[in-house]
Amino acid sequence: MKKSVSIIGSGFSSLAASCYLAKDGFDVTIFEKNSTIGGRARQLKKEGFTFDIGPTWYWMPDVFDRFFADFDTSPSDFYKLEKLNPAYSVYFGKEDYITIEDTLEKICIAFENEEPGSSIKLKKFIATAKSNYDIAIKDLVYNPGESPLELVTLKTATKLNQFFSNIKRDVRKSFKNKRLSQILEFPVLFLGAKPSNTPSFYSFMNYADFGIGTFHPKGGMYQVILAMEKLAKSLGVTIKTNASVEKILVHNGTASKILSNGKIFESDIILSGADYHHSETLLDEEYRQYSESYWEKKTFAPSSLLFYVGFDKKLINVNHHTLFFDVDFDVHAEAIYDNPKWPDEPLFYASFPSITDDNAAPTGKEAGIFLIPLAPGLEDTKELREHYFNIIIKRFERLTSQKVEKNIIFKESFCVNDFIKDYNSYKGNAYGMANTLLQTAFLRPKLKSKKVKNLFFTGQLTVPGPGVPPSLISGKLVAELINKQFSRKTTSLKASIL
């Protein structure tokens, strides 16, 4: 008889785990509290416009390829992928920006134009980043974070010093130009920590950026969710939406049931892909691994104030992805990590998917997504949201030399309170727990409960960390742990019978 698995949540990690477990012969049911699947990667449709509510960057395509290849498929079986050129642009002042194109050779030219001689340093820096990428993404991140010995290999032995330096120190040692330094420090923000708190080894993100490039799935990132849903259902996974889980029930030290919408569902294994902190609150206190003080001491990735804006005209002087670094990067970072507060002068990011994708907006119109990174746990009010929208839209107009405020058809916002309400996110964080030195690999919250049998976790707060590709990997890792445990039990049972 098949072993049953109940999965809480339907984000990238949960969907990935469901596919692997169903393939391995488990009877899998997903319980999603919202009306649509995808977790933080949901979609907003309004007046002919389509927005990705959550992730908008498609990096590390090899991780997606590897996931789908595990099921004898490929991304191209489900969605069309386009490499962006330019990948993105970075504004530093009025009509003053640097464009990052689609090959390292072109990026070297941009660096050389900014600082003569910098292209030589860049090639050396990216060569190290590629070496780190080959070790990390092809090897290390596919370990379950159970032991420090996972980090000890012949390859990592040559990289040990990089775990005790940081990205900011390495970048600024080689690049004296502040603008170039900020561009090189930007990718690690996806890992949820300041460059000064991110180990040098994570420069592999720079190879993902400059060496591999930035892609866009036609129809948006939600197409990846739909692809995974189709795959999961083809493997026999059942998905229940509007199915909030109120309790994980433990009997004789074993997770055996969940309470969803007032009804009890029995299961051999419980796997939560929901926020880890929230998942543990579904347990009686005696069964929780981590105290409130544990979570309080951890470094969390930022929250975000997001705006989804429909414009009645096409915009100029912007690319699909556009960053606005015209204010002090370090001061804003302090407002996120060191002295949590609303930033006086926020950096922000904007995405205009309709530049690339006709599906994102009606003809002649533009879809815009604006994001301000924030400290989690901040006060979130309608008045604050409006105040900050006015700040960034006026700066946007000045920097890009165009008037857009009167061309806004509508705007929707999403912030701390929404992350808590929609995703049960700890303090309204947007990206999970940061990958600092003391929150890497085996030092992150565990995939498998230490206190409750048959209870597992997956997602951005556990191994390997924040981001879409790591979430896919997290789903694979936890599925392997579950399969290993129950395959061993089956083998032991057969041996005892014989």
Side-chain angles (χ1 to χ4, degrees), residues 286-297:
E286 63 186 293
Y287 298 120
R288 299 173 191 172
Q289 303 172 93
Y290 305 106
S291 65
E292 286 299 316
S293 62
Y294 169 89
W295 296 110
E296 195 67 38
K297 292 173 185 175

Side-chain angles (χ1 to χ4, degrees), residues 64-276:
F64 295 84
D65 291 344
R66 184 166 173 175
F67 168 76
F68 284 105
D70 284 341
F71 303 93
D72 298 319
T73 63
S74 70
S76 61
D77 293 325
F78 300 96
Y79 53 87
K80 181 180 179 182
L81 201 60
E82 178 180 347
K83 188 173 186 180
L84 295 181
N85 186 31
Y88 57 91
S89 56
V90 186
Y91 268 89
F92 296 97
K94 181 178 171 62
E95 294 187 41
D96 178 15
Y97 56 88
I98 295 175
T99 298
I100 302 302
E101 295 192 67
D102 62 340
T103 67
L104 181 57
E105 290 73 21
K106 294 175 185 176
I107 297 168
C108 281
I109 293 171
F111 268 54
E112 198 67 26
N113 289 337
E114 182 70 19
E115 180 186 323
S118 61
S119 63
I120 298 171
K121 299 173 186 175
L122 179 62
K123 287 177 181 177
K124 183 178 179 181
F125 184 83
I126 296 300
T128 299
K130 181 182 186 305
S131 174
N132 291 351
Y133 190 92
D134 289 341
I135 294 171
I137 304 303
K138 296 177 182 177
D139 186 12
L140 284 186
V141 295
Y142 284 92
N143 286 313
E146 294 186 299
S147 165
L149 295 177
E150 292 172 3
L151 297 176
V152 183
T153 68
L154 290 174
K155 291 179 180 178
T156 56
T158 64
K159 303 285 184 178
L160 267 180
N161 64 314
Q162 292 192 43
F163 285 95
F164 299 99
S165 184
N166 63 68
I167 292 287
K168 183 172 183 176
R169 186 182 304 154
D170 288 2
V171 167
R172 306 255 169 155
K173 183 171 62 178
S174 298
F175 299 89
K176 305 307 177 187
N177 182 290
K178 188 175 181 180
R179 291 147 61 107
L180 298 183
S181 295
Q182 287 184 335
I183 290 173
L184 287 168
E185 290 167 4
F186 146 70
V188 301
L189 297 179
F190 285 99
L191 301 171
K194 292 195 298 185
S196 57
N197 288 338
T198 303
S200 301
F201 183 73
Y202 285 104
S203 68
F204 65 73
M205 293 294 291
N206 293 104
Y207 177 71
D209 181 4
F210 287 4
I212 301 176
T214 304
F215 296 78
H216 174 75
K218 186 173 177 59
M221 287 293 289
Y222 198 66
Q223 296 305 309
V224 185
I225 291 292
L226 294 178
M228 296 177 74
E229 176 191 33
K230 185 175 181 180
L231 177 61
K233 287 183 174 179
S234 74
L235 292 164
V237 176
T238 299
I239 300 176
K240 297 176 180 289
T241 54
N242 295 308
S244 179
V245 174
E246 297 100 32
K247 188 82 174 174
I248 298 173
L249 301 168
V250 179
H251 180 67
N252 291 334
T254 301
S256 57
K257 301 173 184 176
I258 60 170
L259 180 67
S260 174
N261 292 342
K263 295 181 180 179
I264 290 178
F265 295 85
E266 294 191 16
S267 185
D268 296 303
I269 304 113
I270 310 295
L271 167 60
S272 183
D275 177 276
Y276 204 123

Side-chain angles (χ1 to χ4, degrees), residues 418-467:
D418 301 299
F419 281 103
I420 295 171
K421 176 176 67 71
D422 288 2
Y423 311 130
N424 295 310
S425 171
Y426 180 70
K427 291 188 175 181
N429 79 82
Y431 307 111
M433 187 184 290
N435 264 340
T436 60
L437 177 61
L438 296 179
Q439 294 180 178
T440 292
F442 67 96
L443 296 173
R444 297 181 70 80
K446 302 300 182 186
L447 291 166
K448 181 180 179 181
S449 174
K450 296 176 290 185
K451 288 193 172 184
V452 181
K453 293 178 182 177
N454 300 353
L455 176 60
F456 297 81
F457 304 87
T458 187
Q460 298 187 106
L461 270 69
T462 182
V463 180

Side-chain angles (χ1 to χ4, degrees), residues 312-329:
D312 67 6
K313 68 174 185 179
K314 301 300 289 184
L315 304 189
I316 60 171
N317 298 331
V318 290
N319 289 313
H320 184 125
H321 296 298
T322 308
L323 304 165
F324 294 86
F325 285 3
D326 55 305
V327 298
D328 196 306
F329 184 101

